[in-house]
């Protein structure tokens, strides 16, 4: 009798596995638990402000006043849909934003790819050159904008001064006072700042390409262009997709550079959607209208992200799958 009692006392208690226990130790859920803290931070600092902004775009809120729900009035006043062109400045800002983003992104990619290939070669003082290339990206945006504001100043521009002393022009160039010149000036400044990011990122991708692939292609009679076309570029495709997505997003939502250089002028020629949203919401006090302009940027950003996403899915060179 005592032996049976002692056996019952020492026997381990049988614990039934609950559904929570299975989820907690399941490998398929392990990634979810690791990503949960980051997801909560994103929801708190990104999703909530985005949702709040979308809600404000449907109200007549102003600074100091909550506002009431007014439906699509803000969008109709902006000229949405396109056949109700109620606000020409808004559509001008859309045009400026698209031109600014497309031109700057294409040029930044071309120059950045060239620099990456150049820096991947065996050059003297290669580490020093790479550090120098990073300087435009490291310098604060506002400081760069002020520097370019002086460079393109209508009276004290070093460019105009140099051209006048060389006898190429007889008067100063009005860089920031002429609409077309101002657009070109801010695009140039954005390219100067953005090239290092693309160049260094692509350089990191180039260094992951095995030299044996180039050796094999050269033995097969491939030229430098064929090496780039059939070896370098396909292997860089995923990195190009990611880096260009970030480049497009950063360029499309650029605010500091434009605001510090031109504040959207002259005659709204350099107003981007981001700067116009700030002007209407903060300076003019129309939070609902400014939020509507900012919300109108979302479809463009989603389009850029989707292009990159589908580009990453079509990696037959890596997956060995047919895309047809």
């Amino acid at each position: 009798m005592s032996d049976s009692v002692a056996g019952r006392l020492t026997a381990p208690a049988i614990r039934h596995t609950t559904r929570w226990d299975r989820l907690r130790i399941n490998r398929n859920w392990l990634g979810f638990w690791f990503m949960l803290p980051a997801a909560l931070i994103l929801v708190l600092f990104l999703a909530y402000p985005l949702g709040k902004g979308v809600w404000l775009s449907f109200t007549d809120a102003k600074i100091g006043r909550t506002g009431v729900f007014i439906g699509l009035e803000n969008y109709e006043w902006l000229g949405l849909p396109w056949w109700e062109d109620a606000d020409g400045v808004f559509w001008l800002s859309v045009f400026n934003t698209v031109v600014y983003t497309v031109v700057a992104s294409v040029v930044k990619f071309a120059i950045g790819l060239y620099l990456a290939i150049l820096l991947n070669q065996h050059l003297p003082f290669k580490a020093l050159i790479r550090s120098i290339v990073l300087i435009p990206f490291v310098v604060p945006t506002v400081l760069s904008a002020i520097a370019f504001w002086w460079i393109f100043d209508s009276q004290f521009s070093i460019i105009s001064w140099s051209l006048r002393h060389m006898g190429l022009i007889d008067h100063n160039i009005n860089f920031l006072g002429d609409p077309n010149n101002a657009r070109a000036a801010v695009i140039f400044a954005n390219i100067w700042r953005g090239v290092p990011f693309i160049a260094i990122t692509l350089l990191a991708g180039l260094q992951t390409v095995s030299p044996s692939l180039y050796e094999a292609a050269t033995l097969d009679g491939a030229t430098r262009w064929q090496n780039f076309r059939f070896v370098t570029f396909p292997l860089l495709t995923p990195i190009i997709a990611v880096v260009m997505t970030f480049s497009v997003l950063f360029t499309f939502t650029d605010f500091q550079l434009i605001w510090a250089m031109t504040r959207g002028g002259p005659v709204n020629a350099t107003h981007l959607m981001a700067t116009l949203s700030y002007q209407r919401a903060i300076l003019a006090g129309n939070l609902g209208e400014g939020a509507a302009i900012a919300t109108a940027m979302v479809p463009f950003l989603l389009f850029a992200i989707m292009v990159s996403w589908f580009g990453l899915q079509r990696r037959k060179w890596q997956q060995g799958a047919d895309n047809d």
Side-chain angles (χ1 to χ4, degrees):
M1 182 68 178
S2 60
D3 293 340
S4 61
V5 172
R8 288 196 299 269
L9 292 176
T10 57
I14 299 175
R15 183 174 180 271
H16 296 286
T17 303
T18 63
R19 180 175 296 181
W20 167 250
D21 293 328
R22 291 195 295 270
L23 290 178
R24 186 166 52 86
I25 64 177
N26 193 314
R27 285 189 175 184
N28 295 330
W29 283 80
L30 184 62
F32 171 77
W33 300 123
F34 278 114
M35 292 183 62
L36 186 59
L40 293 177
I41 293 175
L42 290 176
V43 169
L44 180 61
F45 292 104
L46 293 181
Y48 173 75
L50 177 62
K52 183 69 173 179
V54 173
W55 165 251
L56 285 175
S57 69
F58 294 110
T59 68
D60 62 350
K62 297 182 182 296
I63 293 180
R65 182 167 65 85
T66 305
V68 295
F69 181 79
I70 59 174
L72 297 176
E73 287 188 21
N74 286 323
Y75 295 97
E76 293 174 354
W77 191 83
L78 290 174
L80 299 175
W82 61 269
W83 56 84
E84 296 180 7
D85 191 8
D87 186 7
V89 177
F90 170 73
W91 284 110
L92 179 60
S93 71
V94 173
F95 170 78
N96 292 336
T97 305
V98 172
V99 172
Y100 181 78
T101 303
V102 172
V103 175
S105 298
V106 170
V107 177
K108 282 189 291 186
F109 171 71
I111 299 176
L113 180 59
Y114 174 77
L115 280 178
I117 295 175
L118 185 64
L119 294 175
N120 197 41
Q121 307 299 319
H122 297 288
L123 300 173
F125 308 107
K126 184 164 57 176
L128 177 62
I129 296 174
R130 291 177 182 177
S131 302
I132 295 174
V133 168
L134 271 176
I135 290 178
F137 188 70
V138 174
V139 174
T141 305
V142 174
L143 184 60
S144 301
I146 294 175
F148 277 107
W149 180 64
W150 276 101
I151 291 173
F152 294 125
D153 185 80
S154 60
Q155 294 183 355
F156 307 106
S157 171
I158 185 64
I159 300 176
S160 297
W161 181 86
S162 301
L163 294 176
R164 288 184 64 182
H165 277 70
M166 288 188 293
L168 299 178
I169 59 175
D170 56 2
H171 62 278
N172 288 350
I173 300 174
N174 190 10
F175 285 105
L176 301 181
D178 179 79
N180 293 325
N181 289 343
R183 290 190 182 104
V186 295
I187 289 174
F188 179 86
N190 181 272
I191 292 171
W192 183 84
R193 278 195 52 80
V195 163
F197 169 73
I198 296 177
I200 296 301
T201 306
L202 294 181
L203 175 61
L206 285 173
Q207 293 182 340
T208 64
V209 180
S210 175
S212 61
L213 297 175
Y214 296 112
E215 295 173 2
T218 303
L219 291 175
D220 289 338
T223 62
R224 284 191 174 185
W225 166 250
Q226 290 173 330
N227 275 332
F228 172 78
R229 173 65 180 84
F230 298 105
V231 179
T232 304
F233 188 79
L235 292 176
L236 281 181
T237 300
I239 299 175
I240 291 173
V242 174
V243 74
M244 288 309 297
T245 299
F246 280 106
S247 176
V248 169
L249 295 182
F250 292 155
T251 307
F252 193 90
T253 58
D254 195 5
F255 171 81
Q256 298 179 68
L257 191 66
I258 302 295
W259 195 255
M261 285 185 65
T262 64
R263 298 188 183 275
V267 291
N268 303 310
T270 60
H271 248 320
L272 304 187
M273 297 176 72
T275 57
L276 183 64
S277 174
Y278 172 80
Q279 185 189 64
R280 297 290 175 83
I282 305 302
L283 300 184
N286 299 318
L287 295 178
E289 182 185 343
I293 298 173
T295 304
M297 299 169 62
V298 174
F300 296 96
L301 300 177
L302 289 178
F303 174 76
I305 294 173
M306 293 303 294
V307 169
S308 173
W309 171 257
F310 286 113
L312 288 173
Q313 297 302 308
R314 297 175 61 85
R315 294 182 297 176
K316 68 177 182 180
W317 55 269
Q318 185 178 30
Q319 299 173 354
D322 190 1
N323 289 329
D324 296 335

